[in-house]
Amino acid sequence: MITGLDHIAVAVPDLEKAIARFMADFGLHYDGSEEVESAKTATAFFPLKSTSIELVSPLRGEGPIAKYLEKKPGGLHHLCFSTDDIVADVARLKALGYQFLADAPSPGAHGCQVIFIHPKSCDGVLIELSQPGDDHH
Amino acid sequence: MITGLDHIAVAVPDLEKAIARFMADFGLHYDGSEEVESAKTATAFFPLKSTSIELVSPLRGEGPIAKYLEKKPGGLHHLCFSTDDIVADVARLKALGYQFLADAPSPGAHGCQVIFIHPKSCDGVLIELSQPGDDHH
């Protein structure tokens, strides 16, 4: 029986740089690395307390997901980190050189305020920051 | 401060079909849908108990991640579901029409047995199944 999501795999060109990014810049807990000879990979683990999979599809055939699906059959689209102070985190990450897709956060699902980091700032991974709104469940 | 991973977003062309897949085929708990007018998306949520981000990079410049990085700067590579009986789940999913990248599970990280479902069976998402080995931490 499938019992849960074991991990989300993120391909990175430079493991040490990426470990530093996910630890220092994104604040995750680093739980060690492992070389997997059979898969010819070097891996690093960051355990997460709880999260969710969010399926996203175009609303009435419009929007950014519709554009994405013009080129691909679907796929892993982005990671979203929660923050308790999105304005401060955007300022902190901008000072570190991260580029964003918008100048300021805007409303997302569940009444959150959200903003996206440009994939070119994160080795090709689209990353969203989200601060819960009052109606977050 | 970034406080954790809020969600992993998966782009899908048909939300109802994808909800059915993640519920019935992959056994996740479905926690409802929401239309986000501002983002022009329809979304569906599947809360997860705990998981981890696994960064993967090529070992000595070889292997499947090295091939992936020939085409892309990096990116969200795959989702891995844990299972307590990988042989039974592979048989069950094969009977449902899922195609796999190998005939049988093989050793992965942490002494797990792993196998990958072909992305074309999952709207372009590469999905791994993993059964923990005796040395799983």
Side-chain angles (χ1 to χ4, degrees):
Chain A
M1 194 179 83
I2 290 175
T3 53
L5 186 72
D6 187 76
H7 62 261
I8 308 127
V10 181
V12 299
D14 184 322
L15 192 62
E16 293 309 314
K17 274 191 191 172
I19 289 170
R21 169 182 304 130
F22 279 79
M23 278 177 72
D25 300 352
F26 299 150
L28 301 192
H29 170 70
Y30 169 56
D31 195 36
S33 295
E34 182 183 351
E35 295 189 353
V36 185
E37 284 290 345
S38 59
K40 292 198 173 79
T41 54
T43 60
F45 301 94
F46 296 83
L48 305 167
K49 275 173 204 157
S50 69
T51 186
S52 65
I53 288 177
E54 183 178 322
L55 303 180
V56 288
S57 63
L59 194 58
R60 297 181 300 271
E62 296 177 337
I65 301 299
K67 280 199 172 177
Y68 178 90
L69 294 174
E70 286 172 8
K71 296 176 193 164
K72 301 181 182 181
L76 296 171
H77 190 264
H78 67 264
L79 296 181
C80 175
F81 291 119
S82 36
T83 164
D84 55 11
D85 189 342
I86 195 167
V87 173
D89 276 314
V90 169
R92 179 178 63 81
L93 293 168
K94 276 188 179 174
L96 291 171
Y98 286 84
Q99 295 186 34
F100 288 79
L101 297 186
D103 290 331
S106 59
H110 297 321
C112 295
Q113 288 290 310
V114 305
I115 193 166
F116 287 87
I117 301 173
H118 198 293
K120 72 182 174 188
S121 292
C122 306
D123 290 334
V125 178
L126 179 61
I127 290 182
E128 181 183 15
L129 300 180
S130 172
Q131 181 171 354
D134 293 337
D135 62 340
H136 191 68
H137 68 243
Chain B
M1 195 180 81
I2 290 176
T3 53
L5 185 72
D6 187 75
H7 63 260
I8 309 126
V10 181
V12 299
D14 184 321
L15 192 62
E16 294 308 315
K17 273 191 191 171
I19 290 171
R21 170 183 303 131
F22 279 78
M23 279 177 72
D25 299 352
F26 299 151
L28 300 191
H29 171 70
Y30 169 55
D31 195 36
S33 296
E34 182 182 351
E35 294 189 354
V36 186
E37 283 290 344
S38 59
K40 294 199 174 77
T41 53
T43 60
F45 300 95
F46 296 84
L48 304 167
K49 274 171 207 160
S50 69
T51 185
S52 66
I53 288 177
E54 182 177 322
L55 303 179
V56 289
S57 63
L59 194 59
R60 297 182 299 271
E62 296 178 337
I65 301 300
K67 281 200 171 176
Y68 178 89
L69 294 174
E70 287 173 8
K71 296 176 194 163
K72 301 181 183 181
L76 296 171
H77 190 264
H78 68 264
L79 296 181
C80 176
F81 291 118
S82 36
T83 165
D84 55 12
D85 189 341
I86 195 166
V87 173
D89 276 314
V90 169
R92 179 178 63 83
L93 293 168
K94 277 188 178 174
L96 290 171
Y98 285 85
Q99 294 186 34
F100 287 79
L101 296 186
D103 290 332
S106 60
H110 296 323
C112 295
Q113 288 289 310
V114 304
I115 194 167
F116 286 86
I117 301 173
H118 197 294
K120 72 182 175 187
S121 293
C122 306
D123 290 334
V125 178
L126 180 61
I127 289 182
E128 181 182 14
L129 300 180
S130 172
Q131 181 171 354
D134 292 338
D135 63 341
H136 190 67
H137 69 244

